[in-house]
Amino acid sequence: GENVEQHPSTLSVQEGDSAVIKCTYSDSASNYFPWYKQELGKRPQLIIDIRSNVGEKKDQRIAVTLNKTAKHFSLHITETQPEDSAVYFCAASNSGFQKLVFGTGTRLLVSP
Amino acid sequence: EAGVAQSPRYKIIEKRQSVAFWCNPISGHATLYWYQQILGQGPKLLIQFQNNGVVDDSQLPKDRFSAERLKGVDSTLKIQPAKLEDSAVYLCASSAQGETQYFGPGTRLLVL
């Protein structure tokens, strides 16, 4: 089955810096890759997603890139703000089954 | 639109007791998921329903966990008997066509 690895497990940056979180997946049939943000005690919330027919997607300060050949995808956050502090999860799925397999999470801390 | 609703939000039980969680998905969402999120880990899919049929329950510990979605809307997840290692947040999610899953607030279970 699918296995998703996520790095780093923790990431500390200064406000205004960029942050990059990387994930690799094992199943070449996976074609949908969402990123979720989870604040302490809250539900995971979708922040951006990408499908395998696209190499990059941007939404304001957030971007995701996908390298299908290498089977890895990354989340990029520019001009980080303290409110970006949270745990970020990547996930992968084969859309035929819609089963999401999550990474282990990255705790991002943005210091003022 | 209203989000995914779950209850109770918190539950404390002793080992070997039983417990049930309830989920009401977003109106019109045919697919419903139950995830287990152990502290410090990403959500792990327990069971996926498409309307009232089970699509995937490969990671559901069937000797103690059961779930149903009798009318294709609300769902309940039951644990009987509970073990210490069942302490986790149980997240319900739903989706319509496509892969975007929306999560509920979760039920935090503590087994003593």
Side-chain angles (χ1 to χ4, degrees):
Chain A
E2 175 66 277
N3 182 54
V4 177
E5 295 189 355
Q6 183 172 347
H7 300 281
S9 57
T10 59
L11 180 58
S12 294
V13 299
Q14 292 293 121
E15 182 177 2
D17 288 350
S18 295
V20 180
I21 302 170
K22 299 181 179 180
C23 289
T24 60
Y25 61 98
S26 60
D27 187 353
S28 56
S30 290
N31 57 9
Y32 174 66
F33 308 93
W35 286 88
Y36 284 85
K37 174 183 180 182
Q38 187 174 32
E39 297 178 36
L40 188 63
K42 302 284 184 66
R43 73 188 76 191
Q45 293 203 308
L46 180 72
I47 56 171
I48 196 168
D49 57 11
I50 192 168
R51 298 176 191 272
S52 59
N53 58 346
V54 175
E56 183 175 2
K57 183 177 178 181
K58 289 184 179 180
D59 183 3
Q60 300 182 337
R61 297 186 296 109
I62 294 173
V64 57
T65 58
L66 171 65
N67 184 327
K68 286 194 301 180
T69 302
K71 290 192 282 189
H72 68 70
F73 56 112
S74 300
L75 178 71
H76 305 254
I77 306 174
T78 59
E79 301 173 21
T80 54
Q81 301 168 1
E83 51 264 39
D84 294 329
S85 297
V87 178
Y88 291 80
F89 291 99
C90 62
S93 86
N94 175 335
S95 63
F97 295 97
Q98 300 181 10
K99 173 181 176 177
L100 283 179
V101 177
F102 283 83
T104 49
T106 296
R107 184 173 300 277
L108 174 65
L109 177 61
V110 181
S111 302
Chain B
E1 64 181 6
V4 177
Q6 289 187 247
S7 67
R9 295 295 312 277
Y10 305 92
K11 191 73 177 179
I12 301 175
I13 62 173
E14 295 188 348
K15 60 183 179 183
R16 291 187 288 274
Q17 286 187 325
S18 63
V19 64
F21 313 128
W22 172 82
C23 173
N24 181 239
I26 293 172
S27 177
H29 282 193
T31 311
L32 185 146
Y33 315 79
W34 283 103
Y35 288 87
Q36 180 192 59
Q37 186 175 24
I38 293 173
L39 188 64
Q41 299 182 17
K44 182 184 81 172
L45 181 71
L46 293 176
I47 189 166
Q48 175 183 340
F49 292 94
Q50 181 76 17
N51 296 307
N52 60 349
V54 175
V55 174
D56 187 335
D57 63 357
S58 58
Q59 297 192 94
L60 186 73
K62 298 179 185 64
D63 57 334
R64 299 184 301 105
F65 286 64
S66 64
E68 60 183 14
R69 193 184 185 200
L70 293 176
K71 296 183 179 179
V73 181
D74 294 4
S75 176
T76 56
L77 176 70
K78 297 179 181 178
I79 308 175
Q80 182 178 11
K83 293 185 175 181
L84 297 177
E85 57 262 37
D86 298 332
S87 294
V89 176
Y90 290 86
L91 293 162
C92 180
S94 70
S95 69
Q97 300 298 327
E99 296 89 353
T100 302
Q101 295 184 25
Y102 298 92
F103 284 83
T107 296
R108 189 173 300 274
L109 174 67
L110 179 60
V111 182
L112 301 175

